[in-house]
Amino acid sequence: MESLESELERARDLDVAALADAIETIGFECTRCGACCKAGETACGDGGSDTAGEPGPHTATVFPDEIRQLQSAGDYDFRDIARPMPYGIEESPDGPQGETFEWALQTDDCGDCTFYAEDDDGVGACTVHEDRPLICRTYPFSVALGGTSQPMGEAVDSVALEGQREAGETDDEEGMVRAHECEGLGRDISRADAEELAAALKERAIRELEEAVGVRDNYEPTDVDGVVVHDSEGQKRPDGTPLDDA
């Protein structure tokens, strides 16, 4: 298994043009359906469900600096933007308890991203589109590097980069560029849009691995009541304040 540092170097060496080639091969155009912004099954009675028929939480990862960017772009408190990633947190008579890693975009009462809105015709829109996190800018794509995340379940398509084929590392069934379920897949995409998406995809891969290294290096076990979030900047409470300041 490659170290996080080795995978980070691979991410930094990714060729944007090759990523764009793979994205063009798969094809993509956003249809503004909003599926990537919604819970698998919402409390409001619409949306789909996951394979087990249980509600699928909207858990789009957001980096600490992206939270601050959204705060500076609008009149938002930390908890308007982000919530602790729910994995590892359990409900108790005294409220939520546990330790978790990273932050997820905040959700509304329906379980959808708090920044998602629909017009009267049901067409979806992001209300912070210009400042949206990298996970949103790159959906429905991800790269197959250890330490990076894949959104919304398993990949439904993938394409190997030319360097992978030459090295005999993989084939198109296990390619570096992965596509995840989205009704916009398979549609024509311009070269300019593919290159813009590819650049963001490389940036996201680098950032995810840098964050993973930071989380690992700054991790300290805690034994306190309530919820503790471990991110690359240390241990924090759900409102984003450092644990030492609480």
Side-chain angles (χ1 to χ4, degrees):
M1 180 177 180
E2 295 285 341
S3 69
L4 290 174
E5 286 81 4
S6 296
E7 293 293 78
L8 177 55
E9 287 306 307
R10 291 182 69 192
R12 289 171 174 160
D13 288 341
L14 287 171
D15 182 74
V16 171
L19 293 173
D21 289 343
I23 290 169
E24 278 190 299
T25 297
I26 295 171
F28 171 69
E29 180 185 21
C30 179
T31 65
R32 296 179 65 183
C33 69
C36 58
C37 305
K38 297 179 181 179
E41 180 178 317
T42 74
C44 300
D46 56 6
S49 61
D50 65 16
T51 55
E54 297 295 329
H58 183 270
T59 51
T61 305
V62 58
F63 300 127
D65 66 313
E66 291 179 323
I67 299 171
R68 290 190 287 270
Q69 171 63 29
L70 285 165
Q71 283 184 289
S72 66
D75 186 20
Y76 300 114
D77 291 330
F78 188 98
R79 298 192 75 166
D80 292 333
I81 298 167
R83 63 191 178 99
M85 194 65 74
Y87 312 117
I89 299 175
E90 297 181 356
E91 290 295 330
S92 77
D94 297 321
Q97 301 283 333
E99 298 179 64
T100 189
F101 298 88
E102 304 297 342
W103 302 94
L105 283 172
Q106 187 58 272
T107 53
D108 61 20
D109 292 341
C110 294
D112 303 337
C113 177
T114 190
F115 297 114
Y116 175 73
E118 288 185 352
D119 62 22
D120 293 339
D121 295 325
V123 177
C126 174
T127 59
V128 291
H129 190 264
E130 292 302 314
D131 299 289
R132 68 196 186 282
L134 283 164
I135 190 75
C136 306
R137 293 179 183 274
T138 55
Y139 191 84
F141 295 96
S142 66
V143 294
L145 290 172
T148 61
S149 65
Q150 55 178 29
M152 302 290 281
E154 296 299 321
V156 297
D157 197 1
S158 69
V159 172
L161 302 184
E162 189 62 35
Q164 287 182 283
R165 297 192 188 97
E166 292 174 355
E169 290 183 1
T170 187
D171 55 30
D172 280 354
E173 292 183 358
E174 298 178 348
M176 178 68 75
V177 178
R178 303 175 297 194
H180 302 262
E181 187 173 355
C182 176
E183 70 173 36
L185 290 174
R187 297 168 182 257
D188 290 339
I189 183 171
S190 71
R191 183 64 186 185
D193 286 346
E195 289 179 347
E196 181 179 357
L197 205 164
L201 189 59
K202 177 178 179 177
E203 181 184 359
R204 178 181 140 215
I206 293 170
R207 293 289 309 285
E208 285 183 334
L209 282 155
E210 289 176 338
E211 183 72 10
V213 169
V215 170
R216 182 200 64 194
D217 292 347
N218 287 297
Y219 176 76
E220 294 181 5
T222 59
D223 185 19
V224 298
D225 292 333
V227 173
V228 175
V229 181
H230 300 272
D231 66 23
S232 60
E233 299 173 349
Q235 292 72 47
K236 298 176 182 176
R237 285 298 193 183
D239 64 357
T241 56
L243 188 61
D244 291 342
D245 293 350

